[in-house]
Amino acid sequence: KLSKRLKEIADFIPPASRLADIGSDHAYLPIYLIQQEKIDFAVAGEVAAGPLQHAQEEVTDRNLEDRIHVRLGNGLDVLEKDDAVDHVVIAGMGGLLIALILEQGLLNHKVSDGQSFVLQPNNEEVHLRRFLLENHFEITQESILSENKHFYEIIVAKYQAGQEAEAWSEEDLLFGRFVEAADPQIFKEKWQNEKRKTKNIIASLQYSKANNDKTLTDFQHKINLIEERLHDED
Ligand code: SAM
């Protein structure tokens, strides 16, 4: 059974898409979408031998080799023009790695006009959002979910060569523009949790004396932003 996280990612893939799942691991996402008869072509890319083998086994066990092409390679390098991929998923990795994969993809001409990217960073959402906005991607949708005590954000972005960088405020970059509306309750829980974690970091920095004032000020600033956003000041 597909995890709730992968299921929600799958919901962002429109019917009849030509999909690339980069860092596919067991290829669960493309297998699910094909079994649902929602899509009929996918590339599953993997950079590591172990996961690549898992993906190959899962795909051949179901006789899906014609429809899911499992390929070894770094990031978007596995894509060819003839694949005509219109939706790319990069999920379950750090936001810095996702941004790096996209940056290399842009340099290697592996990103095409009008392509959509369904991204699920495990962290560093601010960095990823900033990267997208500065590199001709428009952020069109966002979502949030929680599973096994983790909060996950999904960011959907469309690449448009001439796209002007949109100016998002510091608050927009931190909280997203569409995340709260997607699930106000989970959004609140995530940021209450972040506030608690940030307070703990401040406390341990003060305790260890390993702090510098700039770091402390940054963390305090983050707490202020969260409190303003949640309207809670305890
Ligand atoms: N995408 C799946 C998911 O969300 O459940 C699997 C996530 S798994 C934690 C991350 C996968 O990304 C690993 O299998 C890893 O080998 C792969 N990966 C990491 N860097 C990559 C890169 N530069 N190109 C392709 N795959 C990569």
Side-chain angles (χ1 to χ4, degrees):
K1 193 177 158 283
L2 206 66
S3 66
K4 181 175 164 190
R5 180 180 59 84
L6 285 177
K7 172 92 180 44
E8 296 217 2
I9 292 168
D11 287 344
F12 282 103
I13 306 301
S17 296
R18 293 180 66 88
L19 176 77
D21 184 26
I22 302 301
S24 194
D25 200 355
H26 290 80
Y28 290 154
L29 180 75
I31 289 172
Y32 170 82
L33 285 164
I34 296 229
Q35 286 179 336
Q36 298 281 305
E37 296 181 17
K38 202 171 170 189
I39 66 168
D40 54 29
F41 176 79
V43 175
E46 252 305 330
V47 78
L52 180 83
Q53 198 187 334
H54 291 147
Q56 275 163 341
E57 285 168 7
E58 297 287 341
V59 169
T60 45
D61 283 354
R62 294 171 178 81
N63 291 315
L64 292 176
E65 302 97 311
D66 289 349
R67 288 187 279 174
I68 304 178
H69 296 199
V70 179
R71 297 182 192 156
L72 175 67
N74 179 23
L76 304 181
D77 287 354
V78 296
L79 296 182
E80 301 300 334
K81 274 268 174 290
D82 289 348
D83 296 329
V85 159
D86 47 44
H87 282 73
V88 179
V89 170
I90 313 178
M93 304 174 206
L96 300 184
L97 180 55
I98 294 177
L100 189 65
I101 288 173
L102 292 174
E103 185 174 31
Q104 291 170 340
L106 286 169
L107 284 171
N108 297 332
H109 308 286
K110 294 292 186 180
V111 176
S112 37
D113 222 16
Q115 250 173 358
S116 288
F117 292 79
V118 180
L119 310 171
Q120 183 267 299
N122 288 337
N123 53 35
E124 300 283 357
E125 291 86 355
V126 173
H127 176 91
L128 181 58
R129 283 193 184 94
R130 190 179 289 124
F131 171 85
L132 291 168
L133 296 168
E134 287 174 356
N135 288 276
H136 312 289
F137 292 85
E138 182 193 0
I139 298 177
T140 56
Q141 297 176 82
E142 293 168 313
S143 189
I144 186 167
L145 68 131
S146 83
E147 185 173 50
N148 304 327
K149 301 206 168 106
H150 282 280
F151 295 98
Y152 300 103
E153 292 191 6
I154 300 171
I155 300 172
V156 184
K158 196 182 180 94
Y159 181 74
Q160 225 110 46
Q163 180 79 32
E164 301 242 348
E166 218 180 307
W168 282 33
S169 67
E170 186 186 16
E171 286 82 355
D172 282 345
L173 289 170
L174 183 61
F175 300 110
R177 274 196 184 169
F178 315 115
V179 181
E180 183 172 18
D183 193 329
Q185 183 56 38
I186 300 295
F187 176 86
K188 193 171 165 198
E189 285 171 24
K190 171 184 168 146
W191 288 103
Q192 283 172 338
N193 188 53
E194 282 294 319
K195 181 176 152 183
R196 236 182 343 261
K197 282 190 341 201
T198 311
K199 281 192 166 175
N200 287 340
I201 294 171
I202 289 182
S204 61
L205 279 177
Q206 283 169 334
Y207 179 73
S208 73
K209 300 198 172 72
N211 67 73
N212 65 54
D213 289 346
K214 167 92 172 74
T215 320
L216 271 182
T217 314
D218 286 351
F219 283 124
Q220 189 52 56
H221 178 60
K222 184 173 173 184
I223 289 180
N224 294 343
L225 290 175
I226 297 172
E227 287 182 340
E228 271 171 39
R229 182 61 179 245
L230 296 181
H231 309 292
D232 80 328
E233 256 124 63
D234 49 19

